[in-house]
Amino acid sequence: MSLPAFAELLERLVFTPGRNAKLALLRDWFATQPDPDRGVGLAALTEELVFTTAKPMLIRDLVAARTDPVLLALSHDYVGDLAETVALIWPERMGVNAEPPTLSEVVEALEVTPKAELPALIAGWLDTLDSGGRLALIKLITGGLRVGVSGRLARVALAEWSGKPVEEIEEIWHGVAPPYLPIFRWLEGQAEKPDPRDAPVFRPLMLAHPLEDRDLAALDPAAYRAEWKWDGIRVQLTAGPGGRRIWSRGGEDISGGFPEITEAMDFHGVLDGELLVIRDGLVAPFADLQQRLNRKQVGPKMLRDYPVGVRLYDLLFEGGEDLRPLPFDERRRRLEDWVARHEPARMDLSPLIAFASVAQLSEVRDGARAASIEGLMLKRADSPYLAGRQKGMWWKWKRDPLSIDAVLMYAQRGHGKRSSFYSDYTFGLWRPDGAGGEELVPVGKAYSGYTDEELGWLDRWIRNHTTSRFGPVREVEKALVLEVIFDAAQLSGRHKSGVALRFPRIARIRTDKPASEADRLENLMAYVEAGPAEG
Amino acid sequence: MGCTGAAQGQASFTMPHPETWLRVTPDGLLCEPGGFFIDPVRPVERAVITHGHADHARPGHRSVLATPETLAIMRARMGEGAGDSQQEMRHGEVLRQGDVTIRLVPAGHVLGSAQVVMEWRGSRAVVSGDYKRQADATCLPFEPVPCDVFVTEATFALPVFRHPDPAHEVAKLLRSLALFPERTHVVGCYALGKCQRLITLLRAAGWDRPIHLHGAQQPLCRLYEQLGVPLGELRPATVANKAELRGAIVLAPPSAIADRWARRLAEPVTALASGWMRVRQRAKLRGVELPMVISDHADWPDLNRTIDEVAAPEVWVTHGRDDALVHALAGRGIRGRALHLVGLGEDEDEAVASEGAPAA
Ligand SMILES: [Zn+2]
Ligand SMILES: [Zn+2]
């Protein structure tokens, strides 16, 4: 009965906004499901196992042969999603008494069944399932589960369930294939920890603490090294005889999205760096990199228009040698040598910034206005490379945010704990309306930065000043000014205002300021970088 | 199919067509020779009321004919407005109104709900109001009555709507309570009918702990108990007993589950019991964490089965998805006609328009 159980898990995950509740659902799955189905289900949830065996067309044909075309069209129109329509409308056959398939039966059968026999196989399965089971099956075999469970979240759930540290699970995760039987045996205390050997595995990243004023006061400049904090995405490059992988910060395998990088990884080692869109040595704004994210495949136009590179800042393994216990200075020297020797394509060194005092460093930070730079990284010269966030070893020192006074335009209810509050705010700035007057144009959306009290106040204000509603969204009187802070402003063709904000959040509610005195779009435009930042 | 003249059991060319004596007017469906309206939307002289939901039982009629339970519900909900003169009619009784004979037959929708069976000069019409065929411990089951015209709702008249066994949905809720024993499970359910049915389903599933009620659910639960439907121990869900509400089931109006009221509960898991919950997008728009597909309306197979059982050659559709139902009926040689009655379809299971926008 594991496919129906999996269907129920999927349904709960789809509707559950809270991280803790998701973790509880996953722990329950690991505790109650048999092998190999719990591992197969886990791989399907995290999309380490993706099927494209059945095309949506096949499913459409199956249902069309079993339903009235007018009723099918009316139903599809009403439900919207084809897979869900099929799951709901599939006629239940009286007298079917076959057991629903287990997850592993589905996976095995898909591998061995000739294409011509797929329709009959799938129809037979659908006949044994209820609507939830049918939806799970269709989504599974057409490759579209999308339930919002990252590999990282799943591994945290495994750690909580088993009591083993998540870093240890991360270390071996990618060395073991679904359904992860050696991992489950180890987590249940029935076997030794699996040894990944040569397999390309993700090594847990070393992370930085935000630098507060009191930390700054205690900082000994001689003990630290400084680098730019780049506004890209953190990646780990792993290459060797076992294969090549690009891992995201959370340990997801994102190699498929960046073929030009994997092609350049003809070395044996593990590197830490920042993935950026780089044109002629200049780093483009984050919005450009966004074009390349979350893609399983990329076309030639993407590769040409948004070329990516990796700015390297650490070397974890050289060949089979684990450099992580070495102090930062030593690893840095090895990294510099390594880059000089290999001259890897599409990779360069993130430079060190020389400084003599905290005051000088502070000046450097304030002077960095390029959109591609978020601030500074400070790394202790003697720090080994340790998993996670280690106090006093690495600091991130972001530059001060930019700020505008904007007018609240729309509000939307949040998720999870905040689902009863209007907690997502769309705000706008004034610009000429072309008819001699002024109009507000939306420039961004913020859903953080406020205190609980401010959230309560905003929620009340919104409910009392609503002018119209569209589903979960309320339009409000254009009367409330919010001070919005953000890290950078970048030109964007996809926004009505022509500009996109990086990490906007609410700093203050300006009840003291009338809406007419809020900022104008041109004030924001003054913050936009003239061109791509220098690297 | 040869079922015309069901009242006499024989075909007769002298038998009047139902359209000649049952008419759609701006006030609602009018039985002309009987001089009364069925579930009228505006105050009238004489009204026959199928059941107590607000879109069917409206205030201000001069005389009202309904089952004793429906009249009691109307008095509880609208006091003075429940009609100047009220006439109780039990199942099995027959009344002559002008040339027309009237009977009330159980509809299985909510406590007191009835189909109105009318005969005039050998022609029989059944106005079923809202109805369902699933078992419901809080009311009498639907009885099919053969007729010449069957007037039906079509709230869930799309083949995607097949309500599961409600016991299965209640089991989901109980599994969630086992998994999250610290969290209050607040279930949105319509105050009349759905709420009490849900309580009896929970009791049948072995939940014998107290069930907590939002203030809006309390009067009708009391009334159901007075009318002989036992519900077990019920307690008000008030702020004072937040600790007691950990791991408890709270029943509230659907509008309350996503609103300020629900915040006072302990990390609430929000559930909603409605036929619409079968479609994911609906559930998502309502911000529901645990959709429960439980409906007091007939689903697609039951609508079609019922129409086949009453064997009417002609079916009139009051409200809902008349397009799909009329199309399906045509395929079976049954004449379907959409009445487009206004004002119907406003109980929680019927209301299509309000999702997303929380009631203030
Ligand atoms: Zn009703
Ligand atoms: Zn109704």
Side-chain angles (χ1 to χ4, degrees):
Chain A
M1 290 293 284
S2 80
L3 192 51
F6 184 63
E8 185 167 340
L9 173 68
L10 278 186
E11 181 174 294
R12 287 299 316 251
L13 287 171
V14 162
F15 288 109
T16 298
R19 178 181 152 89
N20 286 340
K22 281 193 167 109
L23 287 170
L25 291 164
L26 291 169
R27 288 195 307 266
D28 185 57
W29 173 262
F30 302 140
T32 57
Q33 294 303 309
D35 285 322
D37 281 63
R38 61 178 166 184
V40 175
L42 172 56
L45 288 177
T46 58
E47 295 182 31
E48 286 195 43
L49 204 63
V50 177
F51 300 97
T52 47
T53 331
K55 298 277 170 280
M57 207 55 202
L58 185 159
I59 308 290
R60 186 193 292 267
D61 290 347
L62 283 178
V63 79
R66 286 162 174 77
T67 46
D68 175 294
V70 173
L71 295 177
L72 179 59
L74 286 172
S75 297
H76 188 189
D77 195 46
Y78 175 79
V79 175
D81 181 58
L82 178 68
E84 189 178 355
T85 307
V86 176
L88 295 176
I89 205 173
W90 187 265
E92 268 156 34
R93 279 175 48 210
M94 285 301 161
V96 171
N97 52 16
E99 286 285 308
T102 66
L103 270 175
S104 40
E105 278 165 16
V106 170
V107 172
E108 278 162 34
L110 287 179
E111 274 168 17
V112 300
T113 305
K115 209 167 177 184
E117 290 167 29
L118 273 180
L121 177 75
I122 292 167
W125 283 336
L126 290 172
D127 281 342
T128 66
L129 293 162
D130 68 4
S131 63
R134 291 191 293 264
L135 184 60
L137 179 71
I138 295 170
K139 295 265 180 193
L140 184 70
I141 63 181
T142 54
L145 279 182
R146 281 189 282 275
V147 285
V149 173
S150 65
R152 172 74 189 171
L153 187 77
R155 293 189 283 278
V156 169
L158 280 172
E160 291 183 353
W161 164 67
S162 66
K164 295 270 197 296
V166 69
E167 292 79 16
E168 280 191 42
I169 299 174
E170 298 277 8
E171 276 266 7
I172 55 153
W173 187 256
H174 294 282
V176 181
Y180 318 113
L181 297 183
I183 294 183
F184 279 110
R185 274 204 296 277
W186 163 57
L187 293 178
E188 287 182 321
Q190 293 160 12
E192 290 294 298
K193 187 159 114 179
D195 177 5
R197 271 184 292 263
D198 267 347
V201 300
F202 171 69
R203 315 285 169 173
L205 295 181
M206 180 153 178
L207 304 172
H209 266 283
L211 188 71
E212 310 286 348
D213 288 345
R214 59 178 189 288
D215 307 316
L216 188 62
L219 195 85
D220 169 14
Y224 282 86
R225 305 289 174 256
E227 299 168 18
W228 296 118
K229 179 167 172 30
W230 300 102
D231 190 15
I233 63 165
R234 181 99 177 259
V235 289
Q236 182 176 100
L237 309 181
T238 303
R244 302 174 183 184
R245 296 284 187 282
I246 305 172
W247 308 110
S248 73
R249 192 176 185 282
E252 311 289 332
D253 179 0
I254 55 170
S255 314
F258 306 97
E260 69 266 58
I261 303 291
T262 41
E263 196 190 311
M265 288 164 58
D266 55 350
F267 54 81
H268 186 188
V270 178
L271 290 148
D272 193 358
E274 196 86 1
L275 187 76
L276 301 158
V277 167
I278 303 177
R279 294 190 190 91
D280 305 323
L282 299 180
V283 177
F286 188 80
D288 282 24
L289 179 58
Q290 242 160 353
Q291 302 294 318
R292 291 289 304 265
L293 300 182
N294 301 317
R295 288 174 190 275
K296 291 235 146 59
Q297 277 160 1
V298 278
K301 187 170 154 44
M302 269 286 150
L303 290 171
R304 191 184 61 232
D305 295 349
Y306 299 97
V308 292
V310 179
R311 195 140 282 176
L312 302 169
Y313 36 64
D314 220 321
L315 180 62
L316 279 60
F317 279 75
E318 187 172 359
E321 186 190 355
D322 189 350
L323 307 186
R324 292 177 294 175
L326 301 180
F328 176 82
D329 274 352
E330 180 61 17
R331 292 200 311 281
R332 175 76 196 185
R333 194 184 56 74
R334 297 276 297 257
L335 175 66
E336 287 173 7
D337 288 352
W338 185 89
V339 170
R341 237 176 316 122
H342 283 79
E343 296 182 337
R346 297 192 173 273
M347 291 168 216
D348 59 11
L349 262 182
S350 181
L352 288 182
I353 301 162
F355 65 100
S357 66
V358 169
Q360 194 187 354
L361 200 57
S362 182
E363 239 167 72
V364 168
R365 167 177 162 269
D366 293 341
R369 271 290 163 233
S372 58
I373 289 174
E374 282 188 289
L376 294 174
M377 292 294 300
L378 302 178
K379 299 178 176 175
R380 223 167 72 180
D382 61 357
S383 60
Y385 195 97
L386 299 168
R389 210 166 255 126
Q390 309 287 341
K391 192 105 193 173
M393 293 286 189
W394 287 11
W395 300 104
K396 55 184 170 190
W397 194 18
K398 288 203 182 186
R399 63 185 187 184
D400 291 331
L402 305 166
S403 133
I404 45 165
D405 287 337
V407 181
L408 179 64
M409 299 179 72
Y410 307 96
Q412 189 172 350
R413 276 198 306 218
H415 296 284
K417 267 191 186 155
R418 288 192 190 148
S419 62
S420 61
F421 288 91
Y422 284 87
S423 61
D424 296 9
Y425 311 116
T426 301
F427 49 86
L429 299 177
W430 296 107
R431 72 171 175 194
D433 63 2
E438 293 269 88
E439 64 173 6
L440 279 171
V441 58
V443 295
K445 202 173 174 187
Y447 35 85
S448 62
Y450 38 70
T451 64
D452 285 353
E453 279 95 67
E454 285 170 329
L455 175 61
W457 189 93
L458 282 163
D459 183 70
R460 271 193 308 283
W461 191 92
I462 287 155
R463 289 173 194 271
N464 293 333
H465 295 82
T466 299
T467 55
S468 55
R469 299 177 181 188
F470 327 87
V473 177
R474 289 185 183 217
E475 180 168 11
V476 296
E477 283 170 40
K478 308 301 178 293
L480 184 67
V481 177
L482 301 173
E483 183 184 336
V484 178
I485 56 175
F486 51 97
D487 289 351
Q490 293 154 359
L491 290 179
S492 163
R494 289 179 302 154
H495 291 74
K496 192 178 171 190
S497 61
V499 59
L501 305 185
R502 187 94 168 102
F503 290 141
R505 58 254 186 214
I506 307 296
R508 245 180 343 143
I509 306 170
R510 298 290 308 264
T511 46
D512 56 316
K513 199 165 193 177
S516 58
E517 289 177 22
D519 277 319
R520 304 172 47 77
L521 185 58
E522 63 200 48
N523 302 125
L524 176 59
M525 285 303 186
Y527 285 137
V528 173
E529 296 304 322
E534 277 181 50
Chain B
M1 304 208 78
C3 286
T4 49
Q8 318 102 304
Q10 64 182 44
S12 161
F13 57 83
T14 59
M15 193 188 75
H17 189 276
E19 273 175 23
T20 61
W21 59 283
L22 207 51
R23 288 202 300 116
V24 176
T25 75
D27 290 340
L29 197 57
L30 169 67
C31 174
E32 222 158 14
F36 60 87
F37 289 84
I38 300 155
D39 294 348
V41 290
R42 288 203 278 256
V44 298
E45 270 294 300
R46 274 209 295 272
V48 179
I49 303 297
T50 59
H51 67 285
H53 278 148
D55 51 329
H56 298 257
R58 292 173 191 267
H61 308 308
R62 214 187 57 73
S63 91
V64 174
L65 177 79
T67 63
E69 294 83 2
T70 296
L71 290 172
I73 290 165
M74 288 177 72
R75 283 192 299 271
R77 300 194 109 180
M78 48 187 93
E80 295 279 284
D84 298 337
S85 99
Q86 301 191 341
Q87 188 176 0
E88 289 188 353
M89 190 172 181
R90 283 162 217 285
H91 298 305
E93 292 176 358
V94 179
L95 180 89
R96 279 194 83 80
Q97 184 83 38
D99 273 352
V100 181
T101 61
I102 309 172
R103 281 193 292 142
L104 296 181
V105 173
H109 176 54
V110 297
L111 180 60
S113 65
Q115 311 173 68
V116 185
V117 179
M118 294 159 288
E119 284 170 33
W120 185 64
R121 296 187 180 167
S123 163
R124 183 190 291 160
V126 174
V127 178
S128 54
D130 293 336
Y131 64 97
K132 72 169 172 293
R133 306 299 301 271
Q134 278 186 338
D136 182 344
T138 68
C139 63
L140 295 171
F142 180 94
E143 286 172 26
V145 178
C147 53
D148 299 295
V149 65
F150 183 66
V151 183
T152 183
E153 56 144 324
T155 306
F156 291 111
L158 275 177
V160 291
F161 290 109
R162 290 203 296 264
H163 306 324
D165 180 352
H168 177 265
E169 303 300 288
V170 165
K172 273 200 304 201
L173 176 67
L174 296 182
R175 276 200 295 282
S176 180
L177 275 153
L179 192 58
F180 302 109
E182 292 294 295
R183 301 177 68 186
T184 303
H185 283 58
V186 53
V187 187
C189 54
Y190 200 62
L192 169 56
K194 186 73 62 67
C195 175
Q196 297 78 21
R197 184 181 180 210
L198 199 52
I199 294 172
T200 61
L201 286 165
L202 283 163
R203 298 307 185 203
W207 184 266
D208 46 17
R209 289 165 52 184
I211 292 172
H212 294 80
L213 300 177
H214 180 280
Q217 313 296 80
Q218 290 164 17
L220 284 164
C221 285
R222 268 199 300 274
L223 182 63
Y224 262 58
E225 295 218 271
Q226 283 163 20
L227 294 172
V229 181
L231 299 175
E233 189 183 350
L234 306 177
R235 290 189 194 164
T238 53
V239 205
N241 56 11
K242 180 168 172 173
E244 179 188 324
L245 294 179
R246 289 193 171 279
I249 296 174
V250 174
L251 305 184
S255 58
I257 60 169
D259 220 67
R260 275 176 266 192
W261 176 81
R263 284 180 210 161
R264 304 188 222 154
L265 305 170
E267 299 176 70
V269 173
T270 55
L272 184 60
S274 161
W276 299 115
M277 294 299 102
R278 186 157 160 94
V279 177
R280 272 190 175 180
Q281 198 53 24
R282 295 277 158 159
K284 284 219 145 162
L285 281 170
R286 298 293 299 253
V288 173
E289 211 166 310
L290 188 72
M292 296 171 70
V293 188
I294 299 180
S295 174
D296 286 330
H297 294 265
D299 63 5
W300 174 257
D302 282 349
L303 285 168
N304 283 280
R305 168 165 77 102
T306 303
I307 289 165
D308 290 343
E309 283 177 12
V310 300
E314 187 159 334
V315 170
W316 297 354
V317 185
T318 52
H319 61 294
R321 290 304 299 249
D322 49 43
D323 50 356
L325 190 57
V326 168
H327 170 81
L329 294 179
R332 304 207 291 276
I334 302 168
R335 182 178 172 233
R337 175 185 165 211
L339 299 185
H340 304 297
L341 289 188
V342 292
L344 291 180
E346 284 158 18
D347 80 42
E348 170 57 24
D349 248 359
E350 297 172 280
V352 185
S354 67
E355 70 263 20

